[in-house]
């Protein structure tokens, strides 16, 4: 049987391009093998890697990246779907070249937290507990809803708050929740949850900087109230 007609599934599993990519990383594959993973299937005449080797013998990577869908469809073995796949992957590569991350928002005070969160929380009919995960410069790495509903120590557990903190390598966290009644005065449960989180953070080496309670047009910082130390 000709090599180009050998089906990928007939190749020993450990030698297949996708399995090698998973095991050794994409840099271990040839251009033809990488393109083959994108296209997935060949034709009746040749397997996908042979098809891609032939394409790359006719086109350089640069030429292939600039080819239109209609031009790609003139290559033997390339139909509409494969042409669209090739065009899409090169367009993603072009967009990556100009991609720039937006600057992370920095938190310097409880007022900053209020300005960020109040527009999102003022219309909420239920209590929503949100954690902001910060880096060493107090820039927000992630914002996550931890729970929705009445706040109590059994629902908002430290593991739910600090799980993402560990995954994000956060230096600190700020907890935020709303009072639909409009009055941000802390309840007994609010204080208990805050103290529980502060203790959990100390065990993990992650600072709990504050717990902000948002009401109707106003807020209370439990740090300012002396409950976060």
């Amino acid at each position: 049987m000709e090599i180009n007609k050998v089906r990928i599934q007939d190749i020993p599993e450990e030698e297949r391009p996708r399995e090698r990519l998973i095991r050794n990383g994409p840099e271990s594959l040839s251009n033809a093998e990488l393109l083959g993973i994108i296209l997935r299937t060949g034709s009746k005449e040749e397997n996908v890697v042979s098809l891609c080797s032939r394409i790359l013998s006719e086109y350089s990577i640069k030429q292939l990246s600039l080819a239109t869908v209609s031009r790609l469809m003139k290559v033997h073995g390339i139909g509409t779907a494969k042409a669209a796949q090739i065009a899409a992957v090169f367009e993603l590569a072009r967009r990556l070249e100009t991609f720039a991350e937006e600057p992370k928002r920095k938190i310097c005070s409880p007022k900053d937290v209020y300005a960020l969160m109040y527009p999102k929380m003022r219309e909420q009919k239920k209590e929503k507990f949100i954690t902001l995960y910060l880096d060493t410069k107090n820039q927000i790495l992630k914002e996550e809803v931890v729970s929705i509903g009445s706040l109590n120590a059994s629902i908002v557990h430290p593991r739910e708050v600090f799980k993402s903190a560990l995954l994000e390598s956060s230096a600190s966290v700020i907890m935020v929740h709303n009072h639909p009644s409009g009055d941000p005065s802390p309840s007994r449960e609010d204080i208990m949850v805050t103290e529980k989180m502060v203790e959990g953070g100390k065990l993990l080496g992650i600072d709990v900087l504050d717990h902000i309670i948002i009401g109707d047009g106003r807020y209370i910082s439990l740090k300012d109230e002396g409950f976060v130390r």
Side-chain angles (χ1 to χ4, degrees), residues 155-170:
I155 292 177
V156 182
H157 192 278
R159 66 172 169 265
E160 303 303 324
V161 170
F162 294 112
K163 178 173 62 177
S164 287
L166 294 171
L167 290 173
E168 298 292 331
S169 298
S170 302

Side-chain angles (χ1 to χ4, degrees), residues 22-33:
I22 293 169
R23 187 175 65 250
N24 302 322
E27 63 277 3
S28 65
L29 271 59
S30 67
N31 290 341
E33 289 170 328

Side-chain angles (χ1 to χ4, degrees), residues 182-201:
D183 181 3
S185 300
S187 67
R188 180 172 172 274
E189 285 288 353
D190 295 337
I191 294 168
M192 288 176 61
V193 166
T194 302
E195 291 174 342
K196 193 173 183 178
M197 296 303 168
V198 170
E199 290 305 311

Side-chain angles (χ1 to χ4, degrees), residues 110 184-187 190-191 194-195 209-213 219-229:
S185 300
S187 67
D190 295 337
I191 294 168
T194 302
E195 291 174 342
L209 299 183
D210 209 339
H211 183 177
I212 308 294
I213 302 174
Y219 68 90
I220 283 180
S221 159
L222 269 67
K223 182 176 179 63
D224 289 347
E225 297 295 312
F227 296 109
V228 176
R229 294 183 289 273

